[in-house]
Amino acid sequence: MRIVSLLPSTTEILFAIGAGDEVVGVTFECDHPAEARTRRIVSTSNLPEGLDPAGIDAAVSAAVARGEDLYRLDEDALAGLDADLVVTQDLCAVCAIDVSTVSDALTHLGCTADVVTTDPHTLAEVLGTVGELGRRTGREPAAAALVASLEERLAAVQQRVAGRPRPRVVVLEWTDPPYAPGHWIPEMVQAAGGDCVLGAAGEKSVRTTWEAVHAARPDLVVVAPCGFDRAASQAQADALVAAGVLPAGARVHAVDADASWARPGPRLVDGVEELAGVLHGG
């Protein structure tokens, strides 16, 4: 089987269940595991480089208002890969290339590849994606084993924090302007032994205000801007502290958003474990 993965999270899953050798095409953001960087890149961003968070937000908003795609699919590269399976998403136009664009491109190219569309909004649905990719690639046992190990780790964290006081947590999915979390992130906070006091599980992330952040009275602010690694998140956290926009007395913790928060893959459990350590020690 020849697989093109148009999401960093599904690329990670495919490698984790033993289908990495069959992955022939990826996006410019597919960087885990490192071997993924050796595959042909078929999707890139249309956003200018070097923008700060406010500039990225403005560019994304303007492109969406004009009806323009944020990502560019290299049809020539895709055509040359002769894919049997293409994995794409229908979750967020800001996160990756849209399924309709992929379908149109495959039709234009006369490509008969099967298309798997992922759309997880919860932790359970993320684990369901692992199972689905296992079925579609003939790696059901490996996928089932991965899901079981992730569920065991989540259960171990929940058991460890059970009965302890639950600190109030604000997660910032973006910093300028601030965004409250949605999808699986409130569940991650809950599993780690905290209360996510802005945002709603299973829903989209939403733009909020610094006044709302203050009104939420967080004990901890987690800085997790989508698309940022830990160093870049830390730089944003430092800037927020220097600007004095965060609630006085709240602890601030920057995370590797790409690795363990924004991408719906196996490393979300790493994020839960890390946050549990921040909230409850150990």
Side-chain angles (χ1 to χ4, degrees), residues 207-260:
R207 186 168 178 167
T208 187
T209 65
W210 293 119
E211 289 79 10
V213 172
H214 280 255
R217 298 181 290 106
D219 301 299
L220 177 72
V221 176
V222 176
V223 181
C226 184
F228 284 47
D229 62 13
R230 191 182 300 275
S233 295
Q234 186 64 61
Q236 291 304 309
D238 293 343
L240 294 177
V241 171
V245 296
L246 297 178
R251 290 189 294 160
V252 181
H253 181 67
V255 299
D256 188 337
D258 264 357
S260 307

Side-chain angles (χ1 to χ4, degrees), residues 10-281:
T10 55
T11 297
E12 180 178 343
I13 292 169
L14 289 164
F15 275 86
I17 63 176
D21 287 345
E22 297 178 358
V23 175
V24 294
V26 297
T27 79
F28 75 106
E29 292 179 308
C30 293
D31 55 9
H32 186 85
E35 186 183 350
R37 302 301 289 168
T38 67
R39 305 306 196 258
R40 185 180 299 180
I41 295 175
V42 300
S43 173
T44 56
S45 174
N46 284 327
L47 291 176
E49 295 183 2
L51 298 176
D52 62 11
I56 293 172
D57 180 74
V60 168
S61 298
V64 171
R66 294 191 299 266
E68 297 177 355
D69 292 328
L70 297 172
Y71 293 85
R72 179 171 60 256
L73 185 65
D74 186 337
E75 293 189 9
D76 290 338
L78 183 61
L81 291 175
D82 192 25
D84 303 301
L85 183 69
V86 177
V87 186
T88 184
Q89 61 96 38
D90 194 23
L91 177 65
C92 174
V94 178
C95 295
I97 200 158
D98 187 80
V99 61
S100 62
T101 301
V102 176
S103 298
D104 290 346
L106 293 177
T107 300
H108 175 71
L109 296 171
C111 180
T112 58
D114 289 334
V115 177
V116 175
T117 304
T118 67
D119 189 27
H121 288 75
T122 66
L123 284 176
E125 290 173 356
V126 172
L127 297 180
T129 299
V130 176
E132 174 66 12
L133 291 178
R135 289 187 291 273
R136 298 299 289 263
T137 60
R139 286 175 170 76
E140 295 97 329
L146 176 58
V147 169
S149 70
L150 295 172
E151 289 176 334
E152 288 173 5
R153 289 168 59 193
L154 283 171
V157 173
Q158 291 170 313
Q159 182 177 10
R160 180 163 63 86
V161 303
R164 299 189 183 186
R166 305 187 70 86
R168 299 172 63 84
V169 180
V170 164
V171 180
L172 295 176
E173 281 201 32
W174 200 248
T175 58
D176 192 5
Y179 268 74
H183 303 120
W184 47 84
I185 287 181
E187 289 182 279
M188 292 175 65
V189 175
Q190 187 75 17
D195 280 334
C196 190
V197 291
L198 282 182
E203 303 296 331
K204 293 182 178 180
S205 59
V206 293
R207 186 168 178 167
T208 187
T209 65
W210 293 119
E211 289 79 10
V213 172
H214 280 255
R217 298 181 290 106
D219 301 299
L220 177 72
V221 176
V222 176
V223 181
C226 184
F228 284 47
D229 62 13
R230 191 182 300 275
S233 295
Q234 186 64 61
Q236 291 304 309
D238 293 343
L240 294 177
V241 171
V245 296
L246 297 178
R251 290 189 294 160
V252 181
H253 181 67
V255 299
D256 188 337
D258 264 357
S260 307
W261 291 83
R263 297 176 178 178
R267 290 185 293 169
L268 293 181
V269 179
D270 295 354
V272 173
E273 292 170 336
E274 177 185 343
L275 182 59
V278 173
L279 293 175
H280 299 288

